[in-house]
Amino acid sequence: MSPTLQLFLIVSAALFCIGLLAALSRRHAIFILIGIEMMLAGANLNFIAFWRFSSEPHQPTGVMIAIFSIAIAAAEAAVGLALVISVYRHYRTTNVDQLDQLKG
Amino acid sequence: MNSVAFIVIAIFTLAAGLAAATLQKLMHAALSFAVTFVGIAAFFFLLGAEFVGLVQVFVYIGAVAVLIVFTILLTRRDVEKDRMFNWSGVVIAIAVFGGLIWAILKTQSLSVAAPEIPALTVKRIGEVLMTNYVWPLQCVGLLLTAALVGALILVMEEKQ
């Protein structure tokens, strides 16, 4: 027996929630970025799974969206890590709890 | 599709992802992050999207993981010692996971087996990318250029 669409969706939901856990519960800015990347990867897995199990596999729409999503995730990672380095130069910390200058 | 391969890849990917989310040492977490993305690329290969799997390996393991490692090296001064783990994040993540699982298991139309499909060749992807998706492709190119220039400006040394 081969895996059904449900199993792929469960795996990608688990991956998304692991990313959410990393993004919400860690204090280090790089961990938050790693969590966001994992959430994006879970969404990509969903796109590919829905394409593979669809009734019209001749249109590679899901594959295209996954490719564009990977490109946008790479751009996001580059800007996010540049921001981490820039913040580190100003405040000498990467702990997001200490970045509270805008707190009212 | 092979279910043994599916189970092995699923356990591998989720274990590496959990390690990346919970390990204390930043460098270990970054390496687990790379391993997680190897697992996701294996999923793409299993699903018949070989091109996306290769792109995933090149972009994430070749570029993003290396970028993360270099950022860790550049911001090494405060090695994370804080054992403060925010438990509300754990609660929220488990609640979201429960909701998603409930929705997935409740939907009857999702328990379908994979149909036989013709292999998706790189030639076909290239054709589609250059005809139907040529405007999104140009926009992504513009976005990547803007993002890289922006990242360079952000990390440039400030002149006094």
Side-chain angles (χ1 to χ4, degrees):
Chain A
M1 92 147 238
S2 71
T4 59
L5 178 54
Q6 254 174 350
L7 292 174
F8 283 100
L9 294 189
I10 288 172
V11 169
S12 76
L15 206 62
F16 179 86
C17 291
I18 291 172
L20 192 65
L21 171 74
L24 288 181
S25 66
R26 303 308 293 250
R27 291 283 144 265
H28 202 287
I30 296 172
F31 272 117
I32 294 174
L33 276 171
I34 286 179
I36 291 170
E37 294 291 327
M38 276 204 270
M39 287 157 81
L40 279 165
N44 276 346
L45 188 56
N46 257 1
F47 278 124
I48 299 285
F50 274 112
W51 163 75
R52 179 65 179 79
F53 287 85
S54 74
S55 52
E56 285 184 10
H58 304 288
Q59 289 293 339
T61 316
V63 174
M64 289 302 143
I65 293 183
I67 291 172
F68 287 128
S69 158
I70 289 174
I72 290 170
E76 175 254 320
V79 176
L81 292 170
L83 275 175
V84 171
I85 294 178
S86 178
V87 163
Y88 178 75
R89 283 210 190 116
H90 274 280
Y91 297 106
R92 291 282 138 195
T93 181
T94 46
N95 188 333
V96 290
D97 272 354
Q98 291 170 27
L99 307 175
D100 52 3
Q101 301 282 305
L102 284 179
K103 209 171 189 175
Chain B
M1 252 181 283
N2 195 339
S3 58
V4 177
F6 174 84
I7 293 167
V8 170
I9 297 170
I11 292 172
F12 177 76
T13 309
L14 293 181
L18 214 54
T22 53
L23 280 181
Q24 281 303 299
K25 288 231 171 94
L26 262 177
M27 202 55 99
H28 296 176
L31 295 179
S32 318
F33 169 79
V35 173
T36 313
F37 279 89
V38 172
I40 293 166
F43 266 127
F44 291 164
F45 276 95
L46 189 69
L47 282 165
E50 286 88 359
F51 182 71
V52 187
L54 275 178
V55 168
Q56 177 98 357
V57 170
F58 289 154
V59 171
Y60 276 102
I61 296 145
V64 175
V66 173
L67 212 57
I68 286 177
V69 169
F70 269 98
T71 312
I72 293 170
L73 293 179
L74 284 174
T75 59
R76 204 57 193 264
R77 193 76 53 85
D78 56 347
V79 187
E80 190 178 23
K81 293 182 220 66
D82 53 344
R83 246 287 30 166
M84 275 197 314
F85 205 80
N86 194 348
W87 288 102
S88 60
V90 181
V91 173
I92 292 172
I94 290 173
V96 170
F97 185 60
L100 284 173
I101 289 294
W102 175 79
I104 290 168
L105 292 181
K106 208 166 172 295
T107 311
Q108 296 297 323
S109 57
L110 289 180
S111 54
V112 290
E116 287 297 318
I117 61 167
L120 182 68
T121 57
V122 179
K123 182 167 180 279
R124 172 94 178 109
I125 292 178
E127 274 171 14
V128 175
L129 210 54
M130 281 298 145
T131 53
N132 295 355
Y133 291 90
V134 68
W135 282 111
L137 186 70
Q138 302 293 328
C139 292
V140 164
L142 196 65
L143 176 82
L144 278 175
T145 313
L148 291 183
V149 172
L152 277 178
I153 289 173
L154 275 176
V155 297
M156 257 193 309
E157 293 285 348
E158 286 163 38
K159 299 277 183 294
Q160 299 303 326

